[in-house]
């Protein structure tokens, strides 16, 4: 069993253990733990596809961000979709539904619930169930048996006063086909980051390359998370501000991470002047931009204006990187 240490924050071990045999874990210390557990058990389909984890707002996460915690849970539980709430911060991840879609569903329900975590979670689970593809094969009627109580309950509610109609309408307010909340220019950079991540991950016996691959993966995920949350919670001017800020910063960072710069520095340092200094510049820039984006996500969650304090002056000063950035923008039509 994994212990609750700095690498495994408080509550994670218990959550992972609970989800091996069940679909809901509401940690001790969560207000209304028993009632919330009952409500979530009634909402999840019970077919071991969706897990819900609720941690108190003051849960000790150490240095792990909620998004990283979600990834960690997803890797260690049998369910294919995980919904996580830390306090009233709700997010979701899935291997069978588009990641942007489940994040959007979670963020929109969080915003609509106005701090009511239980309502946000129940609505999130219900909408994810609607989005989930039907399981092929299986026993006759299998995969739909869990719907029977819902159908019967719907009939009773209709007979009692028609309230089920309002519930179904509310659950379907969000259309299934929505535009990518990540602006096209930012999406281009995120996609390139993910391509480069593979190159670094495949570089053998190089700890710096392995750390860089992990850093690129975290950055790409955080960028998507920022714009998903901005799309659900922020004013249009905040989205435009973030797009302008990160369009340039990510372009410079992608240039520095390209195969002919940092990757070449790691594989052929003998062909460069001051290779150690150059490598340190790129690694510091990657960490600084990631930290700033996480801070921006927290500002969005707190309904605060975005603050940008990171400068990439060390990268801007490299003429070869300025040339690459100009070519990148030209090729992307900017």
């Amino acid at each position: 069993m994994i212990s609750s240490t700095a690498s495994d924050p408080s509550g994670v071990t218990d959550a992972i253990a609970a989800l091996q045999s069940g679909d809901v874990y509401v940690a001790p210390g969560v207000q209304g733990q028993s009632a919330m557990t009952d409500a979530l058990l009634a909402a999840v389909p019970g077919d071991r596809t969706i897990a819900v984890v609720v941690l108190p707002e003051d849960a000790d996460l150490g240095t792990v961000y909620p998004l990283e915690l979600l990834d960690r849970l997803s890797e260690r539980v049998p369910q294919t979709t995980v919904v996580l709430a830390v306090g009233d911060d709700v997010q979701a991840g899935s291997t069978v539904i588009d990641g942007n879609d489940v994040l959007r569903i979670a963020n929109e329900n969080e915003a609509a619930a106005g701090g009511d975590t239980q309502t946000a979670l129940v609505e999130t689970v219900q909408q994810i169930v609607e989005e989930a593809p039907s399981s092929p094969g299986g026993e006759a009627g299998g995969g739909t048996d869990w719907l029977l109580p819902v159908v019967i309950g719907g009939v009773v509610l209709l007979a009692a006063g028609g309230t089920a109609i309002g519930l179904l309408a509310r659950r379907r307010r969000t259309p299934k086909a929505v535009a990518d909340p990540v602006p096209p220019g930012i999406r281009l950079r995120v996609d390139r980051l993910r391509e480069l991540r593979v190159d670094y991950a495949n570089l053998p016996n190089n700890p710096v390359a392995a750390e860089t691959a992990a850093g690129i993966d975290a950055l790409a995920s955080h960028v998507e998370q920022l714009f998903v949350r901005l799309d659900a919670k922020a004013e249009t001017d905040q989205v435009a501000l973030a797009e302008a800020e990160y369009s340039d910063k990510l372009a410079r960072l992608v240039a520095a991470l390209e195969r002919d710069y940092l990757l070449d520095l790691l594989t052929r340092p003998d062909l460069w002047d001051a290779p150690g200094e150059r490598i340190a510049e790129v690694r510091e820039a990657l960490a600084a931009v990631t930290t700033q984006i996480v801070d921006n996500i927290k500002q969005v969650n707190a309904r605060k204006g975005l603050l940008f304090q990171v400068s990439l002056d060390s990268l801007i000063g490299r003429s070869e990187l300025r040339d690459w950035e100009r070519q990148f923008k030209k090729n992307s039509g900017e």
Side-chain angles (χ1 to χ4, degrees):
M1 181 178 291
I2 304 166
S3 61
S4 295
T5 64
S7 60
D8 283 281
S10 175
V12 176
T13 302
D14 292 339
I16 292 171
L19 295 178
Q20 303 307 310
S21 57
D23 293 322
V24 173
Y25 175 77
V26 181
V30 173
Q31 186 174 7
Q33 178 193 23
S34 179
M36 185 178 293
T37 300
D38 291 342
L40 292 172
L41 285 172
V44 297
D47 58 358
R48 311 291 289 141
T49 60
I50 298 178
V52 184
V53 175
V54 187
L55 302 178
E57 187 172 4
D58 60 353
D60 181 12
L61 302 185
T63 59
V64 177
Y65 299 115
L67 182 61
E68 296 173 83
L69 180 57
L70 178 66
D71 291 339
R72 191 170 297 183
L73 286 167
S74 299
E75 291 172 356
R76 301 181 186 181
V77 300
Q79 294 84 351
T80 53
T81 299
V82 178
V83 181
L84 169 67
V86 180
D88 61 1
D89 181 8
V90 181
Q91 52 194 305
S94 178
T95 59
V96 294
I97 307 172
D98 183 83
N100 287 333
D101 284 344
V102 291
L103 278 173
R104 170 183 55 76
I105 289 170
N107 292 161
E108 288 181 350
N109 282 308
E110 176 192 324
D116 185 342
T117 304
Q118 179 174 309
T119 297
L121 287 169
V122 169
E123 287 293 306
T124 296
V125 170
Q126 291 172 338
Q127 290 184 26
I128 288 176
V129 168
E130 293 176 359
E131 295 279 345
S134 300
S135 299
E139 298 178 3
T144 58
D145 290 346
W146 64 270
L147 283 173
L148 185 58
V150 177
V151 174
I152 295 172
V155 172
V156 173
L157 286 172
L158 283 168
T163 55
I165 295 176
L167 175 61
L168 292 173
R170 181 160 54 91
R171 285 173 57 188
R172 288 172 171 78
R173 284 179 304 181
T174 305
K176 291 187 178 181
V178 296
D180 185 358
V182 181
I186 302 295
R187 173 59 67 192
L188 182 66
R189 289 152 172 77
V190 169
D191 289 346
R192 185 58 185 150
L193 283 170
R194 289 212 161 97
E195 292 171 355
L196 289 169
R197 175 206 166 278
V198 176
D199 293 334
Y200 285 93
N202 290 338
L203 196 63
N205 304 318
N206 193 310
V208 173
E211 291 175 8
T212 303
I216 292 173
D217 191 43
L219 173 63
S221 295
H222 287 320
V223 171
E224 289 177 330
Q225 178 78 185
L226 172 62
F227 283 96
V228 166
R229 289 179 177 245
L230 282 169
D231 183 64
K233 301 181 181 182
E235 299 294 334
T236 303
D237 61 339
Q238 292 288 292
V239 179
L241 187 64
E243 181 179 2
E245 172 74 11
Y246 288 113
S247 180
D248 287 339
K249 276 191 169 64
L250 291 177
R252 290 174 187 143
L253 200 51
V254 169
L257 292 166
E258 275 291 346
R259 297 184 181 100
D260 57 359
Y261 194 68
L262 180 60
L263 203 64
D264 197 48
L265 280 162
L266 294 178
T267 55
R268 294 303 305 271
D270 55 305
L271 301 180
W272 290 86
D273 292 329
E277 178 182 320
R278 291 171 181 267
I279 291 170
E281 288 172 353
V282 180
R283 297 184 70 191
E284 289 170 6
L286 176 59
V289 173
T290 302
T291 298
Q292 179 176 274
I293 288 178
V294 171
D295 288 343
N296 289 157
I297 292 172
K298 293 178 180 178
Q299 289 155 10
V300 173
N301 290 340
R303 305 300 199 276
K304 296 179 180 179
L306 299 181
L307 297 176
F308 307 113
Q309 299 175 321
V310 172
S311 171
L312 301 185
D313 290 344
S314 60
L315 299 185
I316 296 171
R318 301 291 186 184
S319 60
E320 60 269 35
L321 295 182
R322 292 199 305 270
D323 293 341
W324 191 99
E325 182 187 353
R326 282 194 292 269
Q327 190 62 42
F328 181 92
K329 290 185 176 182
K330 179 180 178 181
N331 292 342
S332 62
E334 297 183 6

